[in-house]
Amino acid sequence: MLLKKIKHNKETIGFGIALSFLLLLNSFLEFKLLVLSHQYDIYIGVIAILFTLLGIWVAQKITKPKTESIVTEKEVFVSNPVHFVVNQIEIDKRKISKRELEVLELMAAGYSNQEIASQLFVSLNTIKTHSSNLFEKLEVKRRTQAIEVAKKLQLIA
């Protein structure tokens, strides 16, 4: 029965297939015409999208925080001021003068170079000289390191 209907409507089915093919061809040609008439706009749009994606990627690489935590355990020397005894042997060995020891104690108390100078009634340059001599004798580069080494060697409380 189905074959009978197909044979009877063969012409109609043929026209339907031909019209479908023509519609597909029309759509393809219309698309091609659209692309050809706007090819520069499409080209610029594709380039803009590519540069936008590249910019996003570069920004993420540059601004991505590189957080790597390194835990360093450091022994902190805390001396008891009641039972504190100055290590005179180390002072003599390193040839630290009484004035340099005073400067070191004031550094440990948290005074700035200018405050130390005014408290000891000397110039700022003198304090800087004493500080650099202390750094050299204690083999350090910073005030905090000098204080730490001095406490470790029991030069100050």
Side-chain angles (χ1 to χ4, degrees):
M1 183 150 200
L2 184 63
L3 286 173
K4 202 177 198 185
K5 283 186 178 181
I6 292 176
K7 283 184 184 178
H8 188 352
N9 296 325
K10 194 176 188 183
E11 230 176 89
T12 310
I13 293 173
F15 281 125
I17 292 173
L19 281 175
S20 301
F21 178 73
L22 287 174
L23 277 172
L24 280 173
L25 182 66
N26 185 27
S27 296
F28 175 73
L29 290 174
E30 193 175 278
F31 176 75
K32 195 170 183 178
L33 179 66
L34 178 71
V35 168
L36 286 177
S37 64
H38 298 289
Q39 66 183 354
Y40 294 115
D41 298 334
I42 293 171
Y43 179 71
I44 290 170
V46 168
I47 289 176
I49 289 171
L50 289 176
F51 274 103
T52 302
L53 294 175
L54 179 70
I56 292 170
W57 178 76
V58 168
Q60 285 179 343
K61 288 292 182 183
I62 290 174
T63 60
K64 187 176 184 181
K66 295 175 182 156
T67 54
E68 184 178 319
S69 299
I70 298 173
V71 177
T72 305
E73 292 185 18
K74 193 172 186 180
E75 191 175 347
V76 177
F77 293 94
V78 180
S79 60
N80 188 354
V82 177
H83 302 293
F84 179 73
V85 179
V86 176
N87 187 354
Q88 192 62 42
I89 297 168
E90 197 65 38
I91 291 173
D92 295 338
K93 179 182 167 187
R94 294 185 184 260
K95 298 177 184 171
I96 297 173
S97 69
K98 287 186 180 185
R99 191 56 127 183
E100 288 171 345
L101 197 57
E102 282 180 273
V103 170
L104 187 59
E105 287 172 348
L106 291 171
M107 274 186 197
Y111 291 105
S112 69
N113 284 345
Q114 185 64 49
E115 292 169 332
I116 295 170
S118 64
Q119 196 163 354
L120 296 179
F121 303 107
V122 293
S123 73
L124 180 62
N125 286 333
T126 305
I127 297 302
K128 288 181 181 179
T129 303
H130 286 314
S131 297
S132 65
N133 289 342
L134 273 170
F135 295 165
E136 192 174 311
K137 290 175 182 178
L138 295 175
E139 299 170 0
V140 296
K141 294 182 180 177
R142 293 181 196 86
R143 292 168 69 111
T144 54
Q145 292 173 336
I147 294 165
E148 181 183 355
V149 169
K151 286 185 178 184
K152 186 189 288 185
L153 297 174
Q154 293 181 333
L155 303 179
I156 57 173

